[in-house]
Amino acid sequence: MPETGKKELFSAGITYMTNGEYAFAYFCFTQIGKANLAVFYNKALCCYHLSFFEECRSLLLEAERLLPPSVNQNYFQNNLPANILQWEYENSPTSCPMPLESPANIATIQLLRLKAEISAKLLIYNEVQAIHARLDNKYQHIEELIKTQKHEIQ
């Protein structure tokens, strides 16, 4: 398939996702052929919303293999005002589609946040805690997942 066709399918998939039509979005992403990081992530996000949690985790693991070996997440943190970072840590949504050309540091954060959510759903709590630590224990929603897990164990 020509690159223009792949970009059109990707764009259609994002449009379907933002309107809650996850089955159509998944279909578009599947038709692209060889997947890249954004395609794997967005397919995983579709599966998450469709409650196909095992498939979601499998796709996230594939996407994670495509991340650069060392990504400086602090670059993101060091280049935003404190009040915007606070909003990011406390209020930002965890289920935002990933753009095709997302910066590696942002893609890493996005992927890890969704992976924390899916790991909690699959009761893989050690993974949730490892992700929380990797993100410097800053994301409120991951902190809530850990609190919920501790409450369920007791």
Side-chain angles (χ1 to χ4, degrees), residues 79-126:
N79 288 289
L80 285 176
N83 58 339
I84 292 176
L85 273 176
Q86 183 176 354
W87 179 89
E88 168 66 17
Y89 298 142
E90 294 175 2
N91 302 306
S92 65
T94 58
S95 62
C96 176
M98 183 181 290
L100 195 53
E101 301 297 331
S102 184
N105 53 351
I106 294 174
T108 299
I109 293 167
Q110 203 172 350
L111 187 145
L112 291 174
R113 292 181 67 203
L114 182 57
K115 190 176 175 190
E117 291 284 337
I118 200 65
S119 297
K121 294 231 181 257
L122 295 172
L123 308 177
I124 309 172
Y125 295 124
N126 60 334

Side-chain angles (χ1 to χ4, degrees), residues 49-69:
H49 285 289
L50 295 167
S51 299
F52 298 137
F53 301 132
E54 292 287 343
E55 178 68 9
C56 175
R57 185 167 189 279
S58 175
L59 289 162
L60 287 174
L61 292 174
E62 287 294 321
E64 196 169 18
R65 288 185 186 100
L66 298 176
L67 289 172

Side-chain angles (χ1 to χ4, degrees), residues 133-146:
R134 188 168 169 192
L135 294 173
D136 297 327
N137 302 319
K138 295 193 179 195
Y139 282 91
Q140 185 65 38
H141 77 97
I142 300 176
E143 184 69 34
E144 293 300 320
L145 294 172
I146 292 170

Side-chain angles (χ1 to χ4, degrees), residues 12-72:
I14 295 293
T15 299
Y16 285 128
M17 283 180 79
T18 58
N19 289 291
E21 188 53 78
Y22 301 106
F24 289 173
Y26 187 90
F27 175 81
C28 289
F29 294 130
T30 301
Q31 297 306 301
I32 290 173
K34 186 175 184 220
N36 59 29
L37 174 63
V39 171
F40 276 125
Y41 175 86
N42 288 322
K43 285 173 67 174
L45 187 55
C46 290
C47 289
Y48 177 80
H49 285 289
L50 295 167
S51 299
F52 298 137
F53 301 132
E54 292 287 343
E55 178 68 9
C56 175
R57 185 167 189 279
S58 175
L59 289 162
L60 287 174
L61 292 174
E62 287 294 321
E64 196 169 18
R65 288 185 186 100
L66 298 176
L67 289 172
S70 60
V71 174
N72 182 2

